[in-house]
Amino acid sequence: EESEEEEEEEEVRKEKKEKKSKKEKKKEESDESEEEEERKEKKSKKDKKAGKEEDKEWKKESKSAKSGKKGSSSSRRREEDKLPPPKLKPRSLGSDSRIKATYEAQASQDGSAKNPPCVVVVTLTNTGDCLLGPVTVSMVASMNVRVSGTIPEVKSLKQGESDTIRIELQVASVNKPQKVKSTIKYEAVGEGAPAAPQSLPCELMLPCSAFLIPRPIPPQELDSLLANGSCTHLSSAVVEGTGRPFKHSLTLLTLLLNLRVVEGMDGSASLYAQSIQGHHVLVLAKAKGGGTVSVDVRCSDDALSTQLCNEVSGLPLFIAQ
Protein backbone atom coordinates (compact mmCIF):
# COMPACT_ATOMS: atom_id res chain seq x y z
CA GLU A 1 0.00 0.00 0.00
CA GLU A 2 2.82 2.40 0.86
CA SER A 3 4.38 1.57 -2.50
CA GLU A 4 1.11 2.39 -4.32
CA GLU A 5 0.82 5.70 -2.46
CA GLU A 6 4.40 6.59 -3.38
CA GLU A 7 3.68 5.80 -7.03
CA GLU A 8 0.57 7.98 -6.97
CA GLU A 9 2.52 10.83 -5.38
CA GLU A 10 5.23 10.43 -8.03
CA GLU A 11 2.63 10.62 -10.81
CA VAL A 12 1.12 13.75 -9.29
CA ARG A 13 4.57 15.34 -9.08
CA LYS A 14 5.21 14.44 -12.76
CA GLU A 15 1.87 15.93 -13.83
CA LYS A 16 2.60 19.14 -11.92
CA LYS A 17 6.05 19.28 -13.43
CA GLU A 18 4.68 18.78 -16.96
CA LYS A 19 2.00 21.46 -16.45
CA LYS A 20 4.64 23.85 -15.16
CA SER A 21 6.87 23.06 -18.13
CA LYS A 22 4.00 23.67 -20.56
CA LYS A 23 3.17 26.98 -18.90
CA GLU A 24 6.80 28.09 -19.11
CA LYS A 25 6.95 27.05 -22.79
CA LYS A 26 3.77 28.97 -23.61
CA LYS A 27 5.14 32.00 -21.81
CA GLU A 28 8.37 31.78 -23.79
CA GLU A 29 6.43 31.47 -27.07
CA SER A 30 4.24 34.40 -26.08
CA ASP A 31 7.31 36.50 -25.27
CA GLU A 32 8.90 35.57 -28.60
CA SER A 33 5.66 36.42 -30.43
CA GLU A 34 5.49 39.80 -28.72
CA GLU A 35 9.14 40.50 -29.61
CA GLU A 36 8.45 39.53 -33.23
CA GLU A 37 5.43 41.85 -33.36
CA GLU A 38 7.55 44.67 -31.91
CA ARG A 39 10.22 44.06 -34.56
CA LYS A 40 7.62 44.08 -37.35
CA GLU A 41 6.04 47.26 -36.00
CA LYS A 42 9.43 49.00 -35.78
CA LYS A 43 10.30 47.90 -39.35
CA SER A 44 6.92 49.12 -40.63
CA LYS A 45 7.41 52.51 -38.99
CA LYS A 46 10.94 52.69 -40.40
CA ASP A 47 9.73 51.82 -43.94
CA LYS A 48 6.93 54.39 -43.71
CA LYS A 49 9.40 57.01 -42.54
CA ALA A 50 11.75 56.16 -45.42
CA GLY A 51 8.84 56.38 -47.88
CA LYS A 52 7.85 59.79 -46.51
CA GLU A 53 11.45 60.97 -46.78
CA GLU A 54 11.54 59.81 -50.42
CA ASP A 55 8.27 61.65 -51.13
CA LYS A 56 9.62 64.81 -49.47
CA GLU A 57 12.80 64.58 -51.54
CA TRP A 58 10.81 64.04 -54.74
CA LYS A 59 8.53 67.02 -53.97
CA LYS A 60 11.55 69.13 -53.09
CA GLU A 61 13.22 68.26 -56.40
CA SER A 62 9.94 68.83 -58.27
CA LYS A 63 9.53 72.27 -56.64
CA SER A 64 13.07 73.18 -57.63
CA ALA A 65 12.05 72.52 -61.22
CA LYS A 66 9.21 75.03 -60.76
CA SER A 67 11.07 77.74 -58.88
CA GLY A 68 14.54 77.42 -60.39
CA LYS A 69 16.18 80.08 -62.51
CA LYS A 70 14.51 80.23 -65.89
CA GLY A 71 16.71 79.78 -68.89
CA SER A 72 20.48 79.95 -69.16
CA SER A 73 22.87 82.56 -70.47
CA SER A 74 22.19 83.80 -74.01
CA SER A 75 25.65 82.71 -75.23
CA ARG A 76 25.08 79.17 -73.95
CA ARG A 77 21.67 79.08 -75.62
CA ARG A 78 23.18 80.17 -78.92
CA GLU A 79 25.73 77.33 -78.69
CA GLU A 80 22.94 74.82 -77.96
CA ASP A 81 20.91 76.06 -80.92
CA LYS A 82 23.86 75.35 -83.24
CA LEU A 83 23.80 71.66 -82.31
CA PRO A 84 21.71 69.36 -84.53
CA PRO A 85 18.46 68.16 -82.91
CA PRO A 86 19.00 64.87 -81.04
CA LYS A 87 17.59 61.69 -82.53
CA LEU A 88 17.34 58.01 -81.61
CA LYS A 89 18.36 55.14 -83.86
CA PRO A 90 15.61 52.72 -84.92
CA ARG A 91 15.84 49.20 -83.53
CA SER A 92 17.14 46.41 -85.76
CA LEU A 93 14.70 43.65 -86.77
CA GLY A 94 16.95 41.63 -89.09
CA SER A 95 19.09 41.73 -92.22
CA ASP A 96 20.96 39.73 -94.85
CA SER A 97 23.00 40.66 -97.93
CA ARG A 98 19.90 41.92 -99.82
CA ILE A 99 17.54 43.43 -97.24
CA LYS A 100 17.65 45.31 -93.96
CA ALA A 101 14.69 45.75 -91.60
CA THR A 102 14.46 48.25 -88.74
CA TYR A 103 11.48 49.31 -86.65
CA GLU A 104 10.05 51.84 -84.21
CA ALA A 105 7.33 50.95 -81.70
CA GLN A 106 4.95 53.26 -79.85
CA ALA A 107 1.53 53.01 -78.24
CA SER A 108 -1.32 54.37 -80.31
CA GLN A 109 -2.44 57.84 -79.19
CA ASP A 110 -5.98 57.31 -80.43
CA GLY A 111 -7.96 58.66 -77.47
CA SER A 112 -11.14 56.84 -78.58
CA ALA A 113 -9.53 53.37 -78.42
CA LYS A 114 -10.66 51.31 -75.41
CA ASN A 115 -7.56 49.11 -75.59
CA PRO A 116 -4.92 51.14 -77.48
CA PRO A 117 -2.66 48.92 -79.60
CA CYS A 118 1.11 49.12 -79.85
CA VAL A 119 1.93 50.44 -83.33
CA VAL A 120 5.08 49.05 -84.96
CA VAL A 121 6.42 50.72 -88.11
CA VAL A 122 8.86 48.44 -89.95
CA THR A 123 11.20 50.03 -92.51
CA LEU A 124 12.43 47.66 -95.23
CA THR A 125 15.49 48.67 -97.28
CA ASN A 126 16.91 46.95 -100.37
CA THR A 127 20.65 46.79 -99.68
CA GLY A 128 21.55 44.43 -102.58
CA ASP A 129 21.79 44.56 -106.38
CA CYS A 130 18.53 42.74 -107.20
CA LEU A 131 14.93 43.87 -107.41
CA LEU A 132 12.98 42.55 -104.42
CA GLY A 133 9.28 41.77 -104.33
CA PRO A 134 6.89 41.05 -102.98
CA VAL A 135 8.25 41.49 -99.43
CA THR A 136 6.16 40.27 -96.49
CA VAL A 137 6.52 40.33 -92.70
CA SER A 138 4.76 37.73 -90.55
CA MET A 139 4.53 37.49 -86.76
CA VAL A 140 3.69 34.59 -84.47
CA ALA A 141 0.97 35.34 -81.91
CA SER A 142 1.52 34.45 -78.24
CA MET A 143 -0.38 34.66 -74.95
CA ASN A 144 0.80 38.24 -74.44
CA VAL A 145 0.97 39.62 -77.99
CA ARG A 146 -1.24 39.17 -81.05
CA VAL A 147 -1.50 40.92 -84.41
CA SER A 148 -4.55 43.11 -84.90
CA GLY A 149 -5.84 42.87 -88.48
CA THR A 150 -3.69 41.92 -91.47
CA ILE A 151 -0.10 42.92 -92.17
CA PRO A 152 0.30 44.68 -95.55
CA GLU A 153 3.06 43.67 -97.99
CA VAL A 154 5.54 45.71 -100.01
CA LYS A 155 5.02 44.91 -103.69
CA SER A 156 8.57 45.71 -104.81
CA LEU A 157 11.81 47.34 -103.67
CA LYS A 158 14.37 48.66 -106.14
CA GLN A 159 18.07 48.81 -105.30
CA GLY A 160 18.63 51.30 -102.45
CA GLU A 161 14.88 51.89 -102.03
CA SER A 162 12.99 51.79 -98.71
CA ASP A 163 9.34 51.32 -97.78
CA THR A 164 7.41 50.95 -94.53
CA ILE A 165 4.83 48.56 -93.11
CA ARG A 166 2.51 49.55 -90.25
CA ILE A 167 1.56 46.75 -87.82
CA GLU A 168 -0.83 46.97 -84.87
CA LEU A 169 -0.27 44.64 -81.91
CA GLN A 170 -2.57 44.00 -78.95
CA VAL A 171 -0.52 43.50 -75.78
CA ALA A 172 -1.80 41.76 -72.63
CA SER A 173 1.09 42.51 -70.24
CA VAL A 174 2.92 45.87 -70.16
CA ASN A 175 5.24 45.52 -67.15
CA LYS A 176 7.88 43.49 -68.98
CA PRO A 177 9.40 43.55 -72.51
CA GLN A 178 7.68 41.32 -75.05
CA LYS A 179 9.42 39.26 -77.73
CA VAL A 180 7.60 38.38 -80.96
CA LYS A 181 8.94 35.75 -83.37
CA SER A 182 8.86 37.16 -86.88
CA THR A 183 9.81 36.22 -90.46
CA ILE A 184 10.65 38.38 -93.46
CA LYS A 185 10.02 36.71 -96.84
CA TYR A 186 10.92 38.05 -100.28
CA GLU A 187 11.71 37.09 -103.85
CA ALA A 188 14.79 38.47 -105.62
CA VAL A 189 14.87 39.20 -109.38
CA GLY A 190 18.02 39.90 -111.41
CA GLU A 191 21.48 38.60 -112.20
CA GLY A 192 22.80 36.35 -109.45
CA ALA A 193 19.45 36.26 -107.67
CA PRO A 194 18.47 32.99 -105.92
CA ALA A 195 15.77 31.00 -107.72
CA ALA A 196 13.80 30.18 -104.57
CA PRO A 197 11.97 32.70 -102.34
CA GLN A 198 14.08 33.78 -99.35
CA SER A 199 13.05 33.58 -95.69
CA LEU A 200 14.74 35.60 -92.92
CA PRO A 201 13.82 34.56 -89.33
CA CYS A 202 14.05 37.40 -86.79
CA GLU A 203 12.72 38.56 -83.45
CA LEU A 204 10.81 41.75 -82.63
CA MET A 205 11.49 43.09 -79.13
CA LEU A 206 8.92 45.45 -77.65
CA PRO A 207 10.33 47.49 -74.74
CA CYS A 208 8.01 48.65 -71.95
CA SER A 209 8.30 52.24 -73.23
CA ALA A 210 6.41 51.10 -76.33
CA PHE A 211 3.33 50.70 -74.10
CA LEU A 212 3.37 54.30 -72.82
CA ILE A 213 1.26 57.24 -74.03
CA PRO A 214 2.62 60.77 -73.42
CA ARG A 215 -0.64 62.20 -72.09
CA PRO A 216 -0.91 65.87 -71.03
CA ILE A 217 -1.40 66.46 -67.29
CA PRO A 218 -1.63 69.68 -65.23
CA PRO A 219 1.16 70.19 -62.65
CA GLN A 220 -1.44 70.18 -59.84
CA GLU A 221 -2.64 66.72 -60.87
CA LEU A 222 0.95 65.47 -60.93
CA ASP A 223 1.39 66.74 -57.36
CA SER A 224 -1.88 65.03 -56.39
CA LEU A 225 -0.64 61.66 -57.72
CA LEU A 226 2.43 62.04 -55.50
CA ALA A 227 0.41 63.06 -52.47
CA ASN A 228 -2.30 60.36 -52.62
CA GLY A 229 0.14 57.44 -52.92
CA SER A 230 -0.85 56.44 -56.47
CA CYS A 231 2.80 56.06 -57.48
CA THR A 232 4.56 54.34 -54.61
CA HIS A 233 7.18 52.41 -56.60
CA LEU A 234 10.44 54.28 -57.15
CA SER A 235 13.38 53.29 -59.36
CA SER A 236 16.40 55.37 -60.29
CA ALA A 237 18.92 55.42 -63.11
CA VAL A 238 21.75 57.60 -64.36
CA VAL A 239 22.47 58.56 -67.96
CA GLU A 240 26.24 58.90 -68.13
CA GLY A 241 27.76 62.03 -69.64
CA THR A 242 26.96 62.26 -73.36
CA GLY A 243 28.56 65.66 -73.87
CA ARG A 244 25.15 67.09 -74.69
CA PRO A 245 23.31 69.95 -72.95
CA PHE A 246 20.51 69.02 -70.55
CA LYS A 247 17.91 70.30 -73.01
CA HIS A 248 19.02 67.69 -75.56
CA SER A 249 19.22 64.90 -72.96
CA LEU A 250 15.66 65.74 -71.95
CA THR A 251 14.51 65.48 -75.58
CA LEU A 252 16.19 62.07 -75.90
CA LEU A 253 14.50 60.93 -72.70
CA THR A 254 11.05 61.94 -73.99
CA LEU A 255 11.73 60.12 -77.27
CA LEU A 256 13.00 56.97 -75.55
CA LEU A 257 10.22 56.55 -72.97
CA ASN A 258 7.42 58.34 -74.86
CA LEU A 259 7.06 60.99 -72.14
CA ARG A 260 5.55 64.47 -72.06
CA VAL A 261 7.26 67.32 -70.21
CA VAL A 262 5.00 68.71 -67.47
CA GLU A 263 7.33 71.40 -66.14
CA GLY A 264 10.94 72.20 -66.88
CA MET A 265 13.52 74.72 -65.76
CA ASP A 266 17.24 75.02 -66.33
CA GLY A 267 18.72 71.73 -65.14
CA SER A 268 15.58 69.85 -64.03
CA ALA A 269 12.20 68.73 -65.37
CA SER A 270 9.17 66.65 -64.44
CA LEU A 271 7.60 64.36 -67.06
CA TYR A 272 4.55 62.10 -67.32
CA ALA A 273 3.07 59.23 -69.31
CA GLN A 274 0.34 56.64 -68.89
CA SER A 275 0.49 53.02 -69.99
CA ILE A 276 -2.11 51.55 -72.33
CA GLN A 277 -3.48 49.76 -69.24
CA GLY A 278 -3.74 52.93 -67.14
CA HIS A 279 -0.52 52.83 -65.08
CA HIS A 280 0.76 56.26 -64.05
CA VAL A 281 4.42 57.00 -64.81
CA LEU A 282 6.04 60.07 -63.20
CA VAL A 283 9.63 60.99 -64.06
CA LEU A 284 11.99 63.53 -62.53
CA ALA A 285 15.15 64.34 -64.53
CA LYS A 286 17.98 66.43 -63.15
CA ALA A 287 21.31 67.56 -64.59
CA LYS A 288 24.31 66.46 -62.50
CA GLY A 289 27.13 68.09 -64.45
CA GLY A 290 29.34 66.83 -67.25
CA GLY A 291 26.31 65.88 -69.30
CA THR A 292 25.23 63.30 -66.70
CA VAL A 293 21.51 63.17 -65.90
CA SER A 294 19.85 61.47 -62.92
CA VAL A 295 16.42 60.00 -63.59
CA ASP A 296 13.87 58.97 -60.94
CA VAL A 297 10.83 56.98 -62.11
CA ARG A 298 7.75 56.72 -59.90
CA CYS A 299 5.07 54.31 -61.03
CA SER A 300 1.94 52.52 -59.87
CA ASP A 301 3.59 49.20 -60.87
CA ASP A 302 6.94 48.09 -59.41
CA ALA A 303 8.07 45.90 -62.33
CA LEU A 304 7.20 48.59 -64.89
CA SER A 305 9.19 51.18 -62.95
CA THR A 306 12.25 48.91 -62.88
CA GLN A 307 12.05 48.06 -66.59
CA LEU A 308 11.78 51.71 -67.62
CA CYS A 309 14.89 52.54 -65.58
CA ASN A 310 16.72 49.71 -67.34
CA GLU A 311 15.86 51.39 -70.64
CA VAL A 312 17.10 54.75 -69.35
CA SER A 313 20.47 53.18 -68.46
CA GLY A 314 20.80 51.97 -72.06
CA LEU A 315 19.88 55.33 -73.63
CA PRO A 316 23.42 56.12 -74.98
CA LEU A 317 23.26 52.96 -77.16
CA PHE A 318 20.29 54.33 -79.10
CA ILE A 319 21.52 57.89 -79.72
CA ALA A 320 21.96 58.54 -83.45
CA GLN A 321 25.38 60.05 -84.13
Side-chain angles (χ1 to χ4, degrees):
E1 288 179 4
E2 286 181 4
S3 177
E4 286 178 2
E5 286 178 1
E6 287 177 358
E7 286 178 1
E8 286 177 0
E9 287 177 1
E10 183 65 27
E11 286 179 6
V12 170
R13 280 196 296 272
K14 282 183 181 179
E15 286 178 4
K16 286 181 179 179
K17 192 175 181 181
E18 285 176 1
K19 286 179 181 179
K20 186 179 178 182
S21 177
K22 285 179 180 179
K23 283 181 181 179
E24 289 175 350
K25 190 176 181 182
K26 282 182 180 179
K27 188 175 182 303
E28 287 176 4
E29 289 175 352
S30 176
D31 291 343
E32 287 177 1
S33 178
E34 285 177 6
E35 287 177 5
E36 183 64 25
E37 288 298 323
E38 284 179 11
R39 280 197 294 270
K40 286 181 179 179
E41 191 175 344
K42 285 180 182 178
K43 187 178 183 301
S44 177
K45 285 180 180 178
K46 189 177 179 182
D47 291 343
K48 284 180 181 178
K49 186 178 179 182
K52 286 179 181 178
E53 289 299 323
E54 284 178 354
D55 288 343
K56 284 179 183 177
E57 187 64 25
W58 177 284
K59 288 174 183 176
K60 183 180 175 183
E61 297 281 4
S62 186
K63 282 179 181 178
S64 71
K66 297 176 187 177
S67 59
K69 293 179 181 179
K70 294 186 178 180
S72 55
S73 67
S74 57
S75 60
R76 187 168 136 201
R77 280 188 173 184
R78 282 197 296 271
E79 287 179 9
E80 290 180 5
D81 290 339
K82 290 178 184 178
L83 293 171
K87 293 181 181 179
L88 295 179
K89 294 184 290 188
R91 295 174 182 267
S92 176
L93 180 59
S95 63
D96 62 15
S97 60
R98 301 177 192 88
I99 195 168
K100 180 179 75 172
T102 59
Y103 69 97
E104 294 178 344
Q106 186 176 17
S108 170
Q109 297 187 40
D110 181 4
S112 62
K114 187 178 179 181
N115 297 305
C118 176
V119 178
V120 178
V121 178
V122 179
T123 300
L124 300 164
T125 303
N126 185 340
T127 56
D129 300 326
C130 303
L131 175 71
L132 303 181
V135 183
T136 63
V137 177
S138 62
M139 295 186 176
V140 180
S142 65
M143 289 179 64
N144 288 320
V145 183
R146 62 180 178 81
V147 178
S148 180
T150 57
I151 301 177
E153 68 175 32
V154 173
K155 291 183 179 179
S156 67
L157 278 178
K158 296 178 183 178
Q159 183 182 358
E161 193 176 50
S162 296
D163 204 348
T164 59
I165 292 176
R166 187 178 187 275
I167 306 168
E168 290 191 0
L169 301 173
Q170 291 292 339
V171 181
S173 176
V174 301
N175 61 5
K176 63 180 179 180
Q178 300 295 338
K179 293 180 180 179
V180 186
K181 289 184 179 179
S182 311
T183 305
I184 300 170
K185 292 182 179 180
Y186 65 87
E187 292 182 24
V189 180
E191 188 178 345
Q198 299 298 293
S199 181
L200 176 63
C202 42
E203 188 174 67
L204 177 81
M205 200 282 284
L206 296 174
C208 290
S209 56
F211 314 136
L212 300 186
I213 303 171
R215 296 198 189 282
I217 184 174
Q220 297 82 359
E221 193 173 331
L222 192 76
D223 292 340
S224 177
L225 288 173
L226 278 171
N228 64 21
S230 297
C231 300
T232 56
H233 303 288
L234 172 65
S235 295
S236 300
V238 173
V239 180
E240 297 299 337
T242 59
R244 295 176 177 270
F246 178 71
K247 178 183 174 182
H248 280 204
S249 295
L250 190 62
T251 299
L252 290 168
L253 194 60
T254 61
L255 292 172
L256 179 76
L257 298 187
N258 297 318
L259 301 168
R260 182 183 288 265
V261 176
V262 181
E263 288 186 306
M265 296 295 174
D266 188 29
S268 63
S270 56
L271 308 96
Y272 175 79
Q274 190 175 39
S275 81
I276 56 178
Q277 294 180 348
H279 301 98
H280 297 292
V281 177
L282 284 60
V283 176
L284 183 67
K286 192 173 181 182
K288 291 293 185 182
T292 299
V293 179
S294 67
V295 180
D296 291 336
V297 179
R298 275 196 176 275
C299 187
S300 51
D301 183 276
D302 189 22
L304 181 57
S305 175
T306 301
Q307 291 295 339
L308 291 174
C309 273
N310 289 342
E311 290 186 48
V312 171
S313 298
L315 174 60
L317 298 175
F318 292 99
I319 299 175
Q321 301 299 325

